[in-house]
Amino acid sequence: GEQVEQLPSILRVQEGSSASINCTYENSASNYFPWYKQEPGENPKLIIDIRSNMERKQTQGLIVLLDKKAKRFSLHITDTQPGDSAMYFCAAMPNYNVLYFGSGTKLTVEP
Amino acid sequence: NAGVIQTPRHKVTGKGQEATLWCEPISGHSAVFWYRQTIVQGLEFLTYFRNQAPIDDSGMPKERFSAQMPNQSHSTLKIQSTQPQDSAVYLCASSLDQGLGTSAETLYFGSGTRLTVL
């Protein structure tokens, strides 16, 4: 299996600032790290992912970083907007396509 | 494409009763997963089927919980003798599951079944 720790559990930022969420994992076999966003009343949806052959990936205001040595990966949301308010889950996949999720971060972007 | 369909959306049971949750994966997806979501634990992996065969049930509580996938169009999660601590949102997800190096690992979640055990 896999154990994924995610911090912080609650994050409040001002609109236009950046937000960062950090995750660590234990299983060195993990090689795929997605991030899912869950808006209130909705189901989780994939927003960005990174594989172990990369250290950085960026798309549409989202940046993910992966440090395999430290078994740590992070999500950075630049220029946050109220629409970014949601629960965010990191995950790691060690084998046969089972994703193990962190406990989630509730992000609130305040106007 | 209707997405992953879960029924019922809400289920209330009394302590000790049985609860059966249903999931219809996206057509063509060969992998089906069950997760349990609570505020404290977040998204907990329960069990996983590939081409209807059980692959990994390491997240399932050994007693009272069972899952089946009798055909490619539906899976069930059954909880016997429900307890208040079983109260949670149970999420089903499916994926193409074509192996690493593709986008096939993307999970498509259903809307979940909110189980409340009184």
Side-chain angles (χ1 to χ4, degrees):
Chain A
E2 176 62 279
Q3 294 284 335
V4 180
E5 297 292 326
Q6 181 173 348
L7 290 172
S9 56
I10 298 174
L11 181 59
R12 293 180 185 275
V13 300
Q14 292 292 318
E15 182 178 353
S17 66
S18 61
S20 297
I21 304 171
N22 299 291
C23 292
T24 59
Y25 62 98
E26 294 185 357
N27 193 331
S28 56
S30 288
N31 52 18
Y32 174 64
F33 307 91
W35 289 84
Y36 281 73
K37 176 182 180 182
Q38 185 177 29
E39 301 190 60
E42 300 290 323
N43 46 4
K45 294 180 175 62
L46 176 71
I47 54 173
I48 192 170
D49 57 15
I50 189 167
R51 300 183 189 279
S52 58
N53 60 351
M54 301 176 70
E55 295 179 349
R56 185 180 192 277
K57 185 174 181 180
Q58 181 171 357
T59 179
Q60 297 179 334
L62 303 176
I63 300 171
V64 289
L65 302 175
L66 173 62
D67 182 343
K68 286 184 293 182
K69 275 189 176 180
K71 295 182 184 174
R72 183 168 55 214
F73 58 114
S74 57
L75 172 69
H76 306 272
I77 307 172
T78 61
D79 188 24
T80 53
Q81 301 298 311
D84 294 323
S85 297
M87 283 291 292
Y88 290 82
F89 293 94
C90 62
M93 179 185 289
N95 49 26
Y96 39 82
N97 293 0
V98 175
L99 277 177
Y100 292 87
F101 288 87
S103 55
T105 296
K106 183 178 180 181
L107 172 64
T108 302
V109 180
E110 299 170 336
Chain B
N1 189 340
V4 176
I5 299 172
Q6 288 189 250
T7 55
R9 289 296 305 273
H10 303 274
K11 186 168 183 67
V12 179
T13 65
K15 182 179 176 181
Q17 292 184 327
E18 180 178 288
T20 300
L21 313 180
W22 299 74
C23 171
E24 180 180 331
I26 293 173
S27 177
H29 282 190
S30 55
V32 173
F33 303 80
W34 284 94
Y35 286 86
R36 176 167 63 184
Q37 183 173 17
T38 60
I39 292 182
V40 174
Q41 298 290 339
L43 283 165
E44 283 181 277
F45 167 71
L46 295 177
T47 190
Y48 160 44
F49 295 86
R50 179 192 289 159
N51 295 322
Q52 300 171 232
I55 302 298
D56 183 349
D57 67 353
S58 59
M60 293 273 275
K62 295 308 176 192
E63 298 178 357
R64 304 188 295 107
F65 282 63
S66 63
Q68 294 184 336
M69 191 161 185
N71 56 61
Q72 63 184 9
S73 63
H74 93 270
S75 174
T76 58
L77 179 68
K78 183 180 292 185
I79 309 172
Q80 296 177 310
S81 185
T82 53
Q83 303 297 311
Q85 61 264 31
D86 299 331
S87 297
V89 176
Y90 290 83
L91 288 166
C92 176
S94 69
S95 75
L96 286 167
D97 190 34
Q98 291 178 359
L100 297 177
T102 72
S103 62
E105 306 94 342
T106 301
L107 293 183
Y108 295 85
F109 284 91
S111 299
T113 294
R114 181 176 295 278
L115 175 66
T116 302
V117 182
L118 301 176

